[in-house]
Structures are given as C-alpha cells and as structure tokens.
C-alpha cells in the first residue's frame, strides 16, 4: 500500500511533537517541512529525512502532499489551510483553529467547496482515558450529569513568546488553553448553550490575559467550570472532574477512576495522559478518515464551534455577563 504524503508547516515546539508522532506511523511519508526560519526548517528536515522550504506555498506546489499539518501561530491558520485545500491537500490544523469565527467559517467553506477533510488538532479527544470517560457518561454510569470541571493551570513564563502577542495569537490563556477545554466539554457533554467568562489579575504584565475562569451551560443543562492560568499551580492530579447524580469520575495525568455514590470503592479505568500516544492516534484517525476506513473523531464543524465558543467567552468577559453561544 502506498504511503500517505504528509507535509508540515511550522517547525516550532508543537510542530516537533507532530513530527515525532508522524515518524512513528509506518503508513506516512513525511514529504516536506516549511518554516520561515531556514535553520528551524533544516533541523526538522534533517530529522525527518525530507526537504525543507521557507515558503509553504512553494512546498505545497512542488511536493503536492496529500495532507498538510499546520503548526504555525493561529493568525496564519486560515491563509495556510485555505491555500493547502485549494491545492488538493487535506488539512489538520493546530489549535486555536482560528482567532475569529469569520476566518474559521471561511476555512470550513473551503473544505466543503474543495471536498477536502479539515479538522482542528484536539489531542485530548484521542487520550484513551478521555474516550473511556465519554463511554461511562453515555452509559449512564454516573446518572444524570450535573457538573464538569476542567483545570489547565501551570506556571509558564510567556513573555517573549507568540501566545502573548495578541496580533499573532488572538488572545491569551483563554484562547490558548481554553480551546482545548471547551472542546473537551463539547466532546463529553454536547453543544454549549451559554458562557460567562472573567479574567483574573495580571501577574506577568502581558498584553493578553494570563488567568481566566469560564462558566458554561450546555444545551442539555449541564454546568461546566474551566480554570485557566499561566501563573498558578493547582494541586490537582486530575484535569477533568465530572459529577453526576449517581457518581463522579476524574481523568488524571497519571490515573483515571470513577466511583458510584452507592459504593465506597473507586474503580480505575485508565493509566493517565500519554501525549505522544494521543498525537499518534490523532494522525492515524485523520489519515484513516481521508481514506474512508474510519470516521473522524473531530470534524470541521467541531473545529468551528471551538472558535465560536471562545469568541463568545471573550465577549462575555468584556460585557461582564452571560452570553448565549448562538448570539455571537
């Protein structure tokens, strides 16, 4: 069977994880890499055994990859993704998918027009423990769902990095880590109905928010709370806690478990978070989807909705009130 030609745009931190994952998949040929930095591109190219380019357009035109993985700052995602799809490639695009819903809509429209697959990289959907948590929720193991809590908090100096430059990132920790959080809630509990967000005090004196809190209500009436920060540590082993009428579960970095309220015993259902494994599963699902042998775990609509919810969250923070997701 012929290998799937994959090209990568953006040879930075997240690009290195994608490259590492792609190198483990036997059915993939890493056809080329592109980065504005000649040195960064050459370093990736040496590791992958492929040519490097400083212009992604030239790379796509010459190499004609079947898949393009976009790992650049989000302001550039629409331009790169649309060019790739219009030139025949399917696109797996890093999060945040786009910084505005208008841009995200144009990306989705291009995918529909060209018949190309388009999706946002959403690693947590491919964490085995998260998928098992979804199965437990859907099986009714926890009863009726009441609350979902997500925390992505960790001290990180973001000064001098592009996520703290709003012209490149579209915002701070809310759009950066919040994109993951809202997608997890949508994956586990369905579409969101309304959102309320607040930004915390600035600690790093950045041009963007470095701490945010988001409350959500799904269309089915389940509540959610999302804690996001680049400035604090939360002493939690779990990044997802789900509470139902009959029990609760936690998805942790090292272990995941649940307990029904009619039993004192916790049941372990997962061994924790494996980043590389999640990235490999993500790429396998995307490649299998474009070849018709699998259904995409996350599609273009899911990707667009992640942008829309974050956009509503920023509007909520500015207005200091709840905002319905359907009223952007």
């Amino acid at each position: 069977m012929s290998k799937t030609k994959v090209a990568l745009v953006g040879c930075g931190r997240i690009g290195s994880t994608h490259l590492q994952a792609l190198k483990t998949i036997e059915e993939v040929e890493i056809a080329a890499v592109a980065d504005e930095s000649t040195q960064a591109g050459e370093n990736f190219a040496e590791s992958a055994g492929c040519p490097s380019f400083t212009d992604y357009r030239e790379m796509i035109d010459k190499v004609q990859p079947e898949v393009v993985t976009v790992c650049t700052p989000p302001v550039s995602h629409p331009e790169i993704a649309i060019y790739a799809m219009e030139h025949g490639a399917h696109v797996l695009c890093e999060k945040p998918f786009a910084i505005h819903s208008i841009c995200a809509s144009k990306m989705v429209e291009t995918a529909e027009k060209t018949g190309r697959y388009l999706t946002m990289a959403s690693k947590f959907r491919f964490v085995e423990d998260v998928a098992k948590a979804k199965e437990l929720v859907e099986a009714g193991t926890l009863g009726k769902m009441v609350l979902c809590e997500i925390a992505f908090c960790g001290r990180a100096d973001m000064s001098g990095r592009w996520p703290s430059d709003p012209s490149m990132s579209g915002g701070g920790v809310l759009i950066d880590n919040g994109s993951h959080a809202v997608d997890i809630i949508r994956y586990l509990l369905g579409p969101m109905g309304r959102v309320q967000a607040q930004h915390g005090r600035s600690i790093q004196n950045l041009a963007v928010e470095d701490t945010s809190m988001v409350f959500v209500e799904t269309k089915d009436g389940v509540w959610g709370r999302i804690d996001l920060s680049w400035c604090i540590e939360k002493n939690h082993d779990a990044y997802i806690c789900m509470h139902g009428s009959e029990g609760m579960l936690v998805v942790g970095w090292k272990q995941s478990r649940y307990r029904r309220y009619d039993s004192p015993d916790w049941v372990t259902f997962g061994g924790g978070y494996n980043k590389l494994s999640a990235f490999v599963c993500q790429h396998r699902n995307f490649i299998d989807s474009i070849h018709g042998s699998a259904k995409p775990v996350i599609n273009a609509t899911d990707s667009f909705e992640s942008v829309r919810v974050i956009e509503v969250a920023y509007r909520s923070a500015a207005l200091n009130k709840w905002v319905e997701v359907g009223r952007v």
Side-chain angles (χ1 to χ4, degrees):
M1 184 176 69
S2 61
K3 294 189 175 184
T4 301
K5 292 173 64 176
V6 179
L8 187 147
V9 183
C11 300
R13 298 187 187 201
I14 195 66
S16 66
T17 306
H18 282 282
L19 180 63
Q20 186 181 3
L22 288 165
K23 287 167 66 176
T24 71
I25 303 175
E26 188 175 337
E27 302 85 358
V28 164
E29 173 194 347
I30 303 173
V33 297
D35 196 283
E36 292 179 347
S37 166
T38 301
Q39 187 62 58
E42 289 178 352
N43 290 342
F44 269 49
E46 182 178 358
S47 173
C50 68
S52 65
F53 297 81
T54 55
D55 186 332
Y56 71 86
R57 301 173 193 83
E58 181 185 4
M59 178 192 73
I60 292 170
D61 293 345
K62 287 187 176 181
V63 175
Q64 296 184 337
E66 192 170 355
V67 173
V68 171
T69 301
V70 181
C71 303
T72 56
V75 70
S76 64
H77 289 175
E79 176 186 302
I80 298 170
I82 289 171
Y83 187 90
M85 288 185 286
E86 289 181 339
H87 288 76
H90 304 281
V91 174
L92 190 154
C93 181
E94 252 303 329
K95 65 84 193 170
F97 188 61
I99 64 175
H100 300 297
S101 61
I102 293 175
C103 296
S105 180
K106 290 179 180 178
M107 293 164 71
V108 174
E109 288 171 3
T110 302
E112 293 173 349
K113 180 179 67 176
T114 59
R116 301 294 89 186
Y117 273 85
L118 168 68
T119 191
M120 177 181 75
S122 183
K123 62 181 180 180
F124 287 103
R125 288 192 183 219
F126 297 92
V127 173
E128 187 174 352
D129 291 12
V130 177
K132 287 182 178 178
K134 180 178 174 67
E135 292 175 3
L136 289 167
V137 169
E138 293 180 345
T141 304
L142 307 181
K144 292 183 178 180
M145 294 310 304
V146 178
L147 173 68
C148 178
E149 301 172 289
I150 296 179
F152 291 135
C153 299
R155 290 173 58 82
D157 182 2
M158 303 304 288
S159 60
R161 293 176 57 182
W162 67 254
S164 65
D165 180 349
S167 68
M168 299 178 71
S169 64
V173 72
L174 175 54
I175 192 172
D176 186 35
N177 292 340
S179 294
H180 274 317
V182 299
D183 186 64
I184 290 171
I185 292 179
R186 290 190 73 258
Y187 175 61
L188 295 174
L189 297 169
M192 296 188 192
R194 60 181 185 145
V195 177
Q196 184 179 49
Q198 297 285 335
H199 302 314
R201 62 163 47 175
S202 176
I203 299 300
Q204 298 190 36
N205 296 316
L206 305 172
V208 295
E209 75 284 350
D210 50 23
T211 296
S212 295
M213 183 179 291
V214 185
F215 294 95
V216 305
E217 183 180 16
T218 73
K219 290 186 176 180
D220 286 338
V222 183
W223 285 75
R225 169 179 166 160
I226 301 169
D227 296 338
L228 307 163
S229 183
W230 290 330
C231 304
I232 66 169
E233 299 279 357
K234 298 199 76 172
N235 189 25
H236 291 169
D237 293 329
Y239 55 94
I240 303 173
C241 296
M242 303 189 73
H243 306 267
S245 61
E246 305 297 330
M248 66 176 293
L249 69 75
V250 293
V251 178
W253 299 110
K254 295 182 179 180
Q255 184 187 66
S256 299
R257 56 188 186 149
Y258 74 89
R259 181 177 74 84
R260 285 183 52 85
Y261 296 141
D262 58 9
S263 170
D265 300 322
W266 285 89
V267 178
T268 300
F269 66 87
Y273 172 69
N274 184 317
K275 183 178 181 179
L276 181 60
S277 175
F279 272 69
V280 171
C281 289
Q282 176 175 249
H283 281 286
R284 283 192 180 278
N285 176 253
F286 188 71
I287 290 167
D288 289 345
S289 295
I290 68 176
H291 293 310
S293 59
K295 290 183 65 176
V297 173
I298 176 171
N299 58 33
T301 300
D302 296 321
S303 307
F304 171 79
E305 286 298 321
S306 75
V307 178
R308 196 159 71 110
V309 173
I310 291 298
E311 195 169 69
V312 169
Y314 275 111
R315 186 180 178 199
S316 167
L319 297 175
N320 192 29
K321 68 176 186 179
W322 285 89
V323 177
E324 293 190 18
V325 173
R327 299 177 182 174
V328 180

